[in-house]
Each structure stands twice: as structure tokens, then as C-alpha cells.
Amino acid sequence: MASATELAVWLLTASGLVVVLYYVVININYLLIHSLSLLELRDDVRESEWNPPFRPFQSPFYPGMAVLVPAYNEEATITESLRSLLTLNYPDTEIVVVNDGSTDDTLEVLHREFDLAPLDAEIPYDVPSEPIRGTYRSETYENLLVVDKANGGKSDALNAGLWLTDKELFCAVDSDTIIERDALLQIVRPFLRDPQRVVATGGTIRVANDCVVKDGVVEEVHLPKTGLPGLQVMEYLRAFYSGRLGLDRLEGLILISGAFGVFRSDYAREIGGYRHDTITEDFDIVVRLHRYMIEHDIEYDVEFVPEPVAWTEVPASRRVLGRQRRRWYRGMIETLVTHRGMLFNPKYGRVGTYILPVFAAAEALGPLIEGFGYLLLPIAVYLGVLNFEFFLVFFLLTTGFGVFLSWFGIFSEVWSYNRYDHPVQIVRLLWYGVLENFGYRQYKTYLAWRGLVEYLRGEQSWGAMERAGFGGGDEKE
């Protein structure tokens, strides 16, 4: 009996030490990435202050860009989103809306609001997507093309748009997204600087909940009044202004948001477009681009540009948020498993030996180990295996470091391209940076464990994102 007790004590002690050590290693890497993000942000701010000696909108040197908008049951937001896209300041754009077999009035809204006329010409080649039922051109806006097809999912819809445009670049945009008017001129700068080397760029995503939107433009920026969207503002600031800037500095950006990213069309087609068998197509296509370019010994860059902004509506209820985050987690695990051959593989350079392993450890394993620690450490304290004072100090340190990383993102926001410029907004953001560590962070670890269980069960459902539309209100139940 004594030996069994001693073994249990040893296991608890060893497990507790593993959790603590894991936390220390991961957060050293977080600190490194966040520190590098400041250097990258400094350079980006300096570059954005340079004014070209010509009028960018009239320049003939900008590559043509297709804006691909997959739409499934988006009748609440599609009109505002397209109005925003149609007023973008960019010299050569084609807006391609792909109605992916919507069961609501999305297509009817498009016909009514944008005066669509059918195109009689047949598609001259096979498109790797579900059958296309019709193509339409707006009689009001010549650069608006609408594709109506059978439902095949977001990746399928993006492929239909990608194969039906001849533009050199394409911008993948969610239909619930509003892009600021100069955002394309800003996000395309890396392609102008080095058109042969740059294969993809990503912009910043911000939370549109409770903002005032008129004619497709965010006219007044407000912090959300309700708790969950407010906490997500904090998350987005930290993810984009710290995480992605730091990875960009390391030349290892492996994730571009599906809500706002620009890619070279030729390379995207070369790798087969978006995979149909994944639920996080944005993560997967960027990793596959890295893999393709390295395997074919092609010099390339994937860059994050913090200045251009797209606004999106985020979940306001736990039910919808939980569905979204579980899907994100399943998709992340799926992509990492699919490309596991790149992990720790020197053939793939810094991406294989450092970026992907650290990402997997922090984003995939991190929430699981954190959740395990929430159960293990209190038990160890209760059984007397772990000193309570040590547990308390560890908890305060972990919480304090979490607040520090969040405030790091707020500092970057205020220092650079701040949209939240009122002192009251800054104070509220600082408060959210504290509040998210008590309940919300623990809830996300729970969602990660649920997402893992769903992945192991083979769950592939997308999960509907219920929206209220821009301009305020709660989500429809």
C-alpha cells in the first residue's frame, strides 16, 4: 500500500514539474516572439509614413486583384460587405462573389441590390468545384461577378472563384468582412517591392461588433458593450500585433487569416488551390505554400502587413463561440497532422525546425497541458504533494504574464495604427487584458479538450456562424 502511495506521489510531483517546465519554455518563446514584433512594427510604421511621389490609385504598376467572397447563408451581411468592397481604392479589381448553395435569400439579395444579369458564355475549362449553376455580372458595377454553385464548402467556393478569374493576385475575404478603403493599396506593398519573391500577405482583423457601419464603411469605432466580443478584441490585438508580427520578423509566418489575405494566383493554382477536406483552409494553404516553395527551391516571402484592416463580426454568445473555437482547434490539429513530416525537419529550414514545432507546442498542446494543470495542481496541493505557497506564486506569475502579453498588444495598438484612441477605450482594453485570465482563458482550454475529442471522433462539421449584421444588435438565436 505504501509503495502505491509513493508511486502516486511521485507521479503527481513529476507531472506537476512537467507542467511548470512546459509553461516556462513556452512563455520564453512567447516573450521572444512578442519582443521581435516590436522591431517589426517599428519598421512597418516607418515604411507606412513614406508617401510615394505619385497617386497610388492611378498608378499603372499595381497588379490586378480578384477579391474572392465565398457566401453561404449571408443575407444579413452580404450587402454591407459588398458595398465596402466596391468602394475600395485600388486601380484594377474584380469582385467575385461565390454563392455556395445558400439556403436563405443570399442570392435573391444579390439580385435585388446589385442588378445582376446572367452571362451566356460557357465556362471554357473544368473548375475543381461543385457544379456551377450560373454566372452573373452586375449591370451597375462592371467589376462585380457573381457565381452561383452547388454547396461544397468554403474551400470549394474559393476554388471556383480562383479558377474563374484571370487576375494576377487574389484576396480571400469572408462575406461578413468589411475592408477599409485603402487596405488593398497597403496590403499589396510587399508585392510591389519584390513581385517575384512575395507569394502571400496578410492584414489585420478587427472586431466590428457595435461599430457604426454606413454604406460599407466603418464610420465610428466602438468597443463592444458585451463581455465576449470585448474579450475577443483583446485576443485579436494580441494575435495580430504581437504573434504574427513576431513570426513575420522570423520569416516564418504560417497563418494568414481567411478573412483577409492576398495570394499569387499562379502559385495557389499550382498547389491545387484550397483543399476540400480541411475545415481551416487558411492555415492549410499557407503551410502548403511554404512546403511547395521550399521543396521546389524557390526563394519566397510570406509577409504580414499590420496597417491594412478588415472588420469582422465575432460571436457574442458562448454557444456560437464554442462552436467556432472547437472547429479552429480541430482544423489546427488536422493541418499539423497532415504536414507532420515538416516538423523538426531541417529540409524545411526555419519553418520546419523552429516555427511549426513551437506553434504546435504552444497552440495545439499548450491549451491541453494548461487544462491538465488546472486539474492536477489543486489535487497536488490538496494531497500535500505541492506546497500551497508555491501553487499561489505560480498562479500569480502565470496570470501576471498573461496580462503582460495582453498589455503588450495594447501598447502596440496605441503606438502604431490605433483605432481605439479614446482614453476610456484604452482603459477598458487594459481591463479586458486582466479579465480574460479569470474564466475566459480557462473556458478556452475546455474548448480545446472538446475540440480534441471531436477530432478523434472524426467530426468534420463546420458549424453555422449566426450573425446579426453590422451596426449592432445581438446574434439571432
Side-chain angles (χ1 to χ4, degrees):
M1 186 69 177
S3 60
T5 302
E6 290 173 357
L7 178 61
V9 169
W10 183 86
L11 287 174
L12 280 172
T13 304
S15 300
L17 289 174
V18 168
V19 170
V20 172
L21 180 61
Y22 190 89
Y23 174 84
V24 171
V25 171
I26 290 300
N27 282 282
I28 287 174
N29 281 281
Y30 273 140
L31 185 59
L32 170 65
I33 291 172
H34 281 61
S35 299
L36 291 173
S37 72
L38 280 183
L39 299 176
E40 186 69 17
L41 186 59
R42 178 200 62 188
D43 294 346
D44 285 326
V45 170
R46 288 175 178 174
E47 182 180 348
S48 69
E49 292 173 348
W50 177 78
N51 292 316
F54 57 87
R55 297 181 65 182
F57 185 72
Q58 296 179 351
S59 172
F61 302 109
Y62 281 82
M65 186 179 304
V67 182
L68 308 184
V69 188
Y72 177 74
N73 291 352
E74 299 286 358
E75 61 176 323
T77 58
I78 191 66
T79 299
E80 289 284 5
S81 181
L82 283 185
R83 285 175 181 167
S84 171
L85 296 175
L86 289 165
T87 58
L88 290 175
N89 290 330
Y90 195 83
D92 182 10
T93 59
E94 181 179 44
I95 314 300
V96 184
V97 182
V98 183
N99 179 49
D100 189 41
S102 297
T103 57
D104 67 354
D105 291 334
T106 297
L107 187 60
E108 288 73 12
V109 169
L110 290 169
H111 273 283
R112 182 178 68 246
E113 297 294 331
F114 299 99
D115 195 18
L116 301 183
L119 297 177
D120 295 330
E122 293 186 4
I123 298 171
Y125 43 79
D126 291 333
V127 177
S129 72
E130 291 297 312
I132 294 174
R133 299 183 293 212
T135 55
Y136 306 86
R137 180 75 65 178
S138 170
E139 295 188 333
T140 306
Y141 306 95
E142 292 184 359
N143 64 329
L144 175 59
L145 174 70
V146 174
V147 179
D148 181 36
K149 58 176 287 294
N151 180 259
K154 184 178 179 181
S155 298
D156 194 76
L158 286 169
N159 282 343
L162 175 58
W163 260 262
L164 288 177
T165 186
D166 60 359
K167 301 300 182 184
E168 183 179 345
L169 305 177
F170 74 92
C171 177
V173 178
D174 285 348
S175 58
D176 61 321
T177 298
I178 289 178
I179 299 178
E180 293 187 350
R181 285 186 172 173
D182 288 334
L184 291 186
L185 293 173
Q186 295 159 350
I187 200 172
V188 81
R189 283 176 182 167
F191 290 98
L192 301 178
R193 184 176 62 246
D194 198 342
Q196 296 303 315
R197 185 181 179 95
V198 177
V199 297
T201 60
T204 298
I205 307 298
R206 290 181 180 267
V207 174
N209 300 51
D210 289 330
C211 292
V212 176
V213 179
K214 185 176 180 181
D215 296 329
V217 177
V218 177
E219 293 195 339
E220 296 180 24
V221 176
H222 299 300
L223 279 175
K225 299 183 181 68
T226 55
L228 278 179
L231 293 173
Q232 289 170 82
V233 171
M234 188 67 262
E235 275 189 297
Y236 278 54
L237 285 178
R238 185 172 59 247
F240 286 93
Y241 274 109
S242 296
R244 297 189 189 184
L245 272 170
L247 291 176
D248 191 20
R249 190 74 177 189
L250 289 168
E251 298 181 355
L253 184 64
I254 56 173
L255 180 59
I256 291 175
S257 173
F260 188 29
V262 173
F263 301 84
R264 275 185 55 170
S265 302
D266 54 352
Y267 282 126
R269 295 191 192 101
E270 191 69 26
I271 65 174
Y274 290 89
R275 279 179 47 207
H276 291 70
D277 57 347
T278 180
I279 54 176
T280 47
E281 76 297 325
D282 47 1
F283 184 23
D284 175 79
I285 194 171
V286 178
V287 174
R288 283 194 293 125
L289 275 173
H290 278 287
R291 188 168 193 163
Y292 177 86
M293 304 303 284
I294 292 171
E295 289 178 349
H296 288 80
D297 198 24
I298 303 173
E299 293 187 357
Y300 74 103
D301 279 330
V302 176
E303 298 193 19
F304 173 66
V305 189
E307 186 178 6
V309 170
W311 297 83
T312 190
E313 185 183 357
V314 299
S317 72
R318 280 197 309 165
R319 177 171 58 86
V320 179
L321 177 68
R323 206 156 50 204
Q324 179 197 65
R325 297 308 172 89
R326 296 196 309 271
R327 174 176 62 81
W328 285 2
Y329 189 83
R330 295 198 318 266
M332 175 176 59
I333 296 296
E334 174 188 78
T335 300
L336 289 172
V337 170
T338 299
H339 300 286
R340 60 189 178 276
M342 296 178 67
L343 291 169
F344 304 104
N345 190 337
K347 172 183 176 180
Y348 296 100
R350 190 175 301 171
V351 172
T353 56
Y354 178 71
I355 302 297
L356 272 175
V358 168
F359 181 87
E363 304 298 329
L365 294 178
L368 303 179
I369 292 179
E370 184 174 341
F372 180 65
Y374 289 140
L375 294 177
L376 176 68
L377 295 182
I379 293 174
V381 170
Y382 178 77
L383 295 177
V385 176
L386 187 66
N387 183 277
F388 177 76
E389 286 75 13
F390 174 83
F391 171 77
L392 182 61
V393 170
F394 179 72
F395 176 77
L396 291 175
L397 284 175
T398 57
T399 302
F401 194 76
V403 172
F404 168 76
L405 293 181
S406 296
W407 285 6
F408 203 103
I410 298 171
F411 170 76
S412 299
E413 153 76 6
V414 173
W415 178 48
S416 58
Y417 310 106
N418 58 307
R419 300 300 195 276
Y420 305 107
D421 52 6
H422 195 281
V424 174
Q425 292 179 321
I426 302 304
V427 170
R428 285 180 60 194
L429 284 173
L430 292 171
W431 168 238
Y432 284 141
V434 176
L435 186 63
E436 67 173 340
N437 290 279
F438 299 92
Y440 184 66
R441 178 173 174 173
Q442 291 74 25
Y443 177 61
K444 290 192 298 179
T445 65
Y446 161 73
L447 293 177
W449 274 101
R450 281 196 60 184
L452 177 63
V453 171
E454 291 176 355
Y455 169 78
L456 294 175
R457 289 177 175 174
E459 176 69 45
Q460 289 291 320
S461 66
W462 183 270
M465 175 64 185
E466 301 165 1
R467 306 189 186 279
F470 297 113
D474 298 324
E475 287 172 328
K476 297 176 290 185
E477 294 296 338

